[in-house]
Amino acid sequence: MKKRARDLGIPFEGNTGRFNAITDVAGVEVGYSTIVLGDGELVVGKGPVRTGVTAILPRGKRWSACFSGWYALNGNGELTGTTWIEESGFLEGPVLITNTHSAGVVRDSTIGWMHEHGFYDPCSGESFFLLPVIGETYDGRLNDINGFHVKKENVYEALNNAAGGLVEEGNVGGGMGMTCHEFKGGSGTSSRVLAEEDGSYTVGVFVQSNHGKRKNLKVAGISVGKELTDLMPEIYTTPAPPPGAGSIIVVIATDAPLLPHQLKRLARRAALGIGNVGGMGENSSGDIFVAFSTANDGASNRHENVNVDMLPNDKMNPIFEAVVHATEEAIVNSMVAAETTMGINGNTIHAIPIEQLLEILKRENKLV
C-alpha cells in the first residue's frame, strides 16, 4: 500500500479504525474495476481510456436494507435512487460510482447483478423492482468519456471483487480519471471511532474527489494551494473545463443506530469536511452525499412491525464531528495516493508534490 496522509505526518482530528477506511464499519465492502487503455489523440470510441467503477456494499454480499439519508450541497451531478431513499428511508442495495456518461450502464448492470444474485428482498418474489444508487463525477479531461468504455463486466468485476479490509486509493475504480483542486484526485477513504463515553461507534467515509480550485486548497488548515502554483493541469482539449468544475460523491457509513432523518443530518456534515479542504460547492460541481447505518438489521421487514433503536439527537455531535474529520482526511488521502496521469490529447493532471507540501506544513509547524 502507498503511504497515506497520516503516514507522512499530516495531522487530522480524531481516532481512526484499524484500516482508516469505510470498511472499518463492520460488514462494509469496497470493490473496483479500473480501465486504462491507450495514449495520444482522442478517438471517440477507441480512447485513450482512463475510467472505472467503484462498488460499496453496506453489508457485503448479504442483502438487508439499511436506514439511509442523502443530501446535495450543489446539484450539478447525479446520484440515482435518491428519490426512493427520501421516500422510504432505506438504501436497498450497493452504492456504485463511475464517470458521468456511464451512470446509465452502471445502473442497468447493477440491476442485472442484483437480480442474478438474488440480492433483493426475498419477500418480493418475482415482482420486485430495484432503484440502484449510482453516483458519477466527470472524467472527460483525461478519459474518452463519450466512448462508453464502462461495460457490464466492469460493474460485475467491482461488485464481485468487493471486500473488507484495506482499501486502495487514488487512481482506482471510478476515481481513475478524476481531478481534485487541479491536482490528480480520485478514490479516498477514512474512518473515525468514537470515544467509549460517546458509544464507541464507528464512522467511515469514502469519496470520489473531482472538485475544487487550486487557490482554495487547504491541508491541515494551511492554505497550501496558494503556494503550490506550478504543476497546473495541462489541457489541450477545447474548451477546457473551468477551474472548480467537477464533482465529489461522498458515501458515509456508520454502525450507530440512526434513523433516516438523522442520517440526512449526517450527510449534510460532509459539506463541512469538504470546506475544510477548500471546496466551495461551485456552480459547476455536483457535491452529493449519501449516508447509511448498518444498525437495526431487519428493520425493512415488509409484513410485521419491528422495534428499532435510535440514538438520541442530543448525542449526535460526536458523530457529526467524525463525519467532518473523516471526509477531510479522505479527500487528502485521495490526492496523496493519486499519481500523475496523461489522458486524451496528452492532457495531463499532475499529482500533488508531496515533498513541497510537507515543506510548507513543516514551516507552519503542522507536521506530527
Side-chain angles (χ1 to χ4, degrees):
M1 294 288 289
K2 301 174 184 176
K3 285 192 173 182
R4 307 176 74 190
R6 282 181 182 248
D7 300 329
L8 300 172
I10 299 174
F12 297 95
E13 296 287 338
N15 297 316
T16 73
R18 177 183 177 188
F19 302 111
N20 191 15
I22 194 171
T23 50
D24 285 319
V25 178
V28 176
E29 295 182 353
V30 176
Y32 294 123
S33 178
T34 307
I35 313 169
V36 178
L37 296 169
D39 295 290
E41 184 178 352
L42 170 64
V43 179
V44 175
K46 294 185 177 181
V49 185
R50 306 287 187 270
T51 195
V53 183
T54 299
I56 300 171
L57 284 73
R59 302 189 194 275
K61 306 303 190 300
R62 180 178 68 86
W63 185 89
S64 181
C66 296
F67 281 138
S68 183
W70 77 285
Y71 178 71
L73 174 65
N74 192 66
N76 196 343
E78 182 66 272
L79 189 65
T80 70
T82 50
T83 306
W84 185 230
I85 287 178
E86 188 77 15
E87 188 75 16
S88 71
F90 286 104
L91 171 65
E92 298 188 15
V95 178
L96 285 88
I97 321 174
T98 187
N99 76 66
T100 305
H101 290 178
S102 294
V105 68
V106 172
R107 176 193 178 278
D108 294 349
S109 300
T110 299
I111 292 174
W113 184 89
M114 294 175 71
H115 178 240
E116 290 178 22
H117 289 79
F119 202 79
Y120 53 87
D121 189 340
C123 294
S124 301
E126 295 181 355
S127 300
F128 72 97
F129 67 92
L130 299 171
L131 299 169
V133 176
I134 312 299
E136 55 75 27
T137 63
Y138 178 82
D139 60 13
R141 297 176 181 87
L142 296 172
N143 176 49
D144 173 21
I145 194 169
N146 294 316
F148 308 111
H149 297 279
V150 173
K151 307 295 185 183
K152 177 180 178 179
E153 53 265 32
N154 302 114
V155 177
Y156 278 45
E157 178 185 13
L159 287 163
N160 289 333
N161 292 343
L166 293 171
V167 176
E168 193 175 356
E169 296 172 301
N171 294 12
V172 289
M176 175 60 227
M178 302 305 168
T179 303
C180 186
H181 287 280
E182 300 177 84
F183 284 119
K184 186 67 183 67
S187 302
T189 189
S190 184
S191 71
R192 293 295 183 274
V193 178
L194 273 59
E196 184 176 355
E197 59 266 27
D198 295 322
S200 301
Y201 300 116
T202 300
V203 174
V205 169
F206 184 96
V207 305
Q208 184 164 297
S209 65
N210 190 54
H211 67 292
K213 298 178 181 178
R214 177 75 61 85
K215 68 176 185 177
N216 295 331
L217 174 62
K218 294 182 179 181
V219 176
I222 304 301
S223 296
V224 299
K226 294 179 179 178
E227 298 191 49
L228 299 175
T229 55
D230 55 356
L231 299 177
M232 295 299 291
E234 300 171 29
I235 305 297
Y236 305 106
T237 303
T238 56
S247 298
I248 179 170
I249 300 294
V250 182
V251 181
I252 303 162
T254 185
D255 56 10
L258 303 182
L259 299 189
H261 70 283
Q262 295 175 307
L263 288 158
K264 189 176 188 71
R265 298 180 71 197
L266 210 63
R268 290 192 185 105
R269 270 59 185 186
L272 300 175
I274 294 168
N276 284 351
V277 191
M280 301 291 181
E282 287 89 352
N283 174 68
S284 54
S285 187
D287 304 344
I288 312 177
F289 326 131
V290 62
F292 62 84
S293 169
T294 59
N296 289 306
D297 196 1
S300 61
N301 189 302
R302 296 166 66 94
H303 301 294
E304 299 177 359
N305 291 351
V306 295
N307 294 318
V308 298
D309 292 327
M310 186 190 86
L311 189 73
N313 286 326
D314 288 343
K315 293 188 176 182
M316 288 191 65
N317 283 344
I319 302 180
F320 289 160
E321 293 175 12
V323 170
V324 174
H325 298 319
T327 302
E328 175 182 359
E329 184 169 359
I331 295 169
V332 178
N333 278 338
S334 76
M335 299 175 70
V336 167
E339 300 174 349
T340 297
T341 303
M342 179 181 291
I344 60 172
N345 300 326
N347 292 353
T348 301
I349 308 297
H350 295 277
I352 191 168
I354 300 297
E355 291 187 7
Q356 191 176 352
L357 171 64
L358 296 180
E359 288 175 2
I360 296 170
L361 297 180
K362 183 177 181 180
R363 185 192 69 211
E364 298 293 334
N365 295 315
K366 283 292 184 177
L367 289 184
V368 176

